[in-house]
Amino acid sequence: MVRVICVAGARPNYMKIKPVMDALERRGVEVVLVHTGQHYDDSMNDVFFRDLGIRPPDRYLGAGSGSHAQQTGRVMEAFEPLVDELAPDAVVVVGDINSTLACALVTAKAGPLLAHVEAGLRSRDWSMPEEVNRVATDRVSDYLLAPSPDAAANLRAEGYREDQIHVVGNVMIDTLFANLDRARESDVLERYGLTRGGYGLVTLHRPANVDDPDTLRGLLKALGEISGRCPLLLPVHPRAERRLADVGVPDGIRLVPAAGYLDFIALQDSARVVLTDSGGIQEETTALGVPCVTLRENTERPITVSEGTNVLAGTDPDRIAATVHRVLDDPPAPRCPALWDGRASERIARILLDGPAAAARPRPTDLAPAGTPGAPGAP
């Protein structure tokens, strides 16, 4: 029997790994779920396992918090003996967190095939730790499972072989579509006294936005202005809670506890507009057809702008306010990229199981045969 380790470590991973696990298990694969423990409190962890119906992890590494180096090192130390013990045929990592890179490096040195889900995403912002993680993970991966053609184009421009690159669609949208009816049954709007289309939803968690008091103060100034026209709901990410309290939140912005997966999808689905610095939410709002304004200077998901409902506003308060007012006046038409159809995980399972074993497959730094796309000197 084929054995595959699937790795998850933080909230954004859970929605991505669940459909991949399901698709592999439907094809008879022995799936070992490893939770690194990068996120460990209930609001960021247990509630998502419950909402998504993810079985308890087979192994828990208990990495915990710390600096990037500390966290990455602890995951590597715990994951290495596990790979030796289980001797998997392949390891699947998702996204761009420290756990992703740590488990990718261990796998590459141990020898199993490595598959990276969400390969090829690029923000071009080297100050983002996630950008470093995703670039390094791609470099050591055998299977580069891209969510969209622009991600695949990035990989080709960086010199990866065609046999490594597979455009499979977006696994987060698989999870979204599988749970949308359940999310729409949530009573979260009633609990908060909200009406469909009567509020804006805000998320803030990226260090560049919440760790600098001046930047955070500017964002809140813009949100305060916007709230005069459209009341705003802000589920508070644990890392932002204290900083928001220190800076002070304007009237019109309502803080609520971090939401579980189903409640948060329901809040997105019924919002008039979503303001966020999260990459995943840019994708979910595009699939839902809900206007999204991204509070960042760049995005690794540009397809949500070119083929979705997302608008990039940056972090300047005046520009944010002007952008949101424009979106409220003239919302972007709903549209969704090709292959964001709820079947990405099926494509991933087929690619992993139909391909050759590690011993028979070119590895990441092998050159393509002369004359084939990706070979030196080839067009």
Side-chain angles (χ1 to χ4, degrees), residues 160-234:
Y160 291 93
R161 300 188 316 268
E162 283 297 320
D163 68 281
Q164 293 177 271
I165 303 169
H166 304 270
V167 180
V168 295
N170 192 323
V171 290
M172 282 193 67
I173 307 308
D174 289 19
T175 297
L176 174 65
F177 287 166
N179 291 279
L180 187 54
D181 288 342
R182 291 173 59 221
R184 286 172 171 166
E185 293 172 359
S186 167
D187 65 351
V188 67
L189 267 65
E190 289 78 9
R191 272 184 273 140
Y192 290 141
L194 302 170
T195 58
R196 185 175 184 86
Y199 64 96
L201 180 66
V202 181
T203 76
L204 290 172
H205 79 280
R206 290 200 176 271
N209 280 344
V210 302
D211 288 356
D212 184 313
D214 290 336
T215 300
L216 182 58
R217 196 173 289 112
L219 291 171
L220 291 172
K221 174 179 179 290
L223 296 176
E225 178 182 335
I226 294 160
S227 69
R229 178 176 179 185
C230 179
L232 299 177
L233 186 78
L234 200 170

Side-chain angles (χ1 to χ4, degrees), residues 314-331:
T315 57
D316 176 76
D318 293 336
R319 182 179 167 198
I320 290 171
T323 301
V324 174
H325 287 308
R326 186 170 68 251
V327 167
L328 292 174
D329 290 337
D330 185 20

Side-chain angles (χ1 to χ4, degrees), residues 93-96 100-101 104-105 108 114-122 130-147 151-152 154-156 158-161 164-165 363-365:
V93 296
V94 296
D96 52 23
T100 305
L101 176 59
L105 290 173
L114 175 64
H116 184 202
V117 176
E118 287 198 329
L121 297 180
R122 299 289 185 266
E130 297 90 345
E131 181 78 351
V132 179
N133 289 344
R134 62 176 73 102
V135 169
T137 299
D138 283 344
R139 183 62 272 172
V140 297
S141 293
D142 299 281
Y143 289 101
L144 299 166
L145 304 167
N154 290 335
L155 294 168
R156 292 188 181 99
E158 293 171 16
Y160 291 93
R161 300 188 316 268
Q164 293 177 271
I165 303 169
R363 301 315 297 265
T365 53

Side-chain angles (χ1 to χ4, degrees), residues 48 62 86 104 122 235 237 266 306 367:
F48 283 83
L86 296 176
R122 299 289 185 266
H237 190 287
S306 61
L367 297 177

Side-chain angles (χ1 to χ4, degrees), residues 27 143 145 166 168 346-355:
R27 294 191 55 156
Y143 289 101
L145 304 167
H166 304 270
V168 295
E346 297 173 19
R347 299 182 190 102
I348 289 171
R350 184 171 63 250
I351 289 163
L352 296 184
L353 297 179
D354 292 351

Side-chain angles (χ1 to χ4, degrees), residues 5-64:
I5 293 177
C6 289
V7 177
R11 168 177 169 168
N13 288 176
Y14 310 146
M15 294 86 82
K16 300 168 188 174
I17 206 65
K18 174 63 161 62
V20 177
M21 292 171 53
D22 291 346
L24 289 170
E25 289 178 338
R26 284 194 295 269
R27 294 191 55 156
V29 173
E30 178 191 354
V31 173
V32 180
L33 175 60
V34 174
H35 189 326
T36 69
Q38 183 169 330
H39 278 172
Y40 47 86
D41 65 357
D42 182 74
S43 68
M44 301 300 291
N45 184 51
D46 295 350
V47 65
F48 283 83
F49 273 66
R50 291 194 298 269
D51 280 357
L52 296 173
I54 304 176
R55 59 179 167 82
D58 298 295
R59 300 296 180 93
Y60 183 77
L61 304 185

